[in-house]
Amino acid sequence: MARRLLVQRQSDLDIQAAALWYEDQRSGLGMRFLSELDEVFKRVESNSKQFPQLEGEVRRALLRHFPYGVYFVEGPDDVVVLAVLHLHREPDMWKSRT
């Protein structure tokens, strides 16, 4: 059953910062990051249980071409994105957002 995806404000700031950084590195790369992230969001919405649980109820979906993880929890009617973080820079930061 597909659930509504809710992106918390801090997660949105994570996304904006990453997209801007990639765009600064090479024109169009920020948009490629956002496009891949959108695909991951669709997969999470359609079947969130396909992604492994890390701790407690928190699950993580990985992007394929960028070293980022989407950390989220499932509710009865929605999926809440806690963080979108680089996997090599403070990868446990999501724990402070649960």
Side-chain angles (χ1 to χ4, degrees), residues 13-75:
L13 294 174
D14 296 337
I15 294 164
Q16 290 175 31
L20 287 172
W21 188 87
Y22 280 117
E23 195 61 31
D24 283 346
Q25 302 308 302
R26 189 172 78 219
S27 180
L29 194 57
M31 288 305 297
R32 195 168 137 216
F33 170 79
L34 292 174
S35 177
E36 187 170 327
L37 182 62
D38 188 53
E39 290 301 314
V40 169
F41 282 169
K42 288 176 186 174
R43 290 177 51 214
V44 168
E45 279 181 309
S46 67
N47 183 12
S48 57
K49 296 214 183 294
Q50 71 180 299
F51 301 101
Q53 282 183 271
L54 298 181
E55 290 183 25
E57 298 298 315
V58 177
R59 294 180 181 271
R60 182 181 70 191
L62 299 176
L63 278 72
R64 293 180 195 263
H65 299 103
F66 296 90
Y68 275 78
V70 176
Y71 299 82
F72 63 92
V73 292
E74 305 169 276

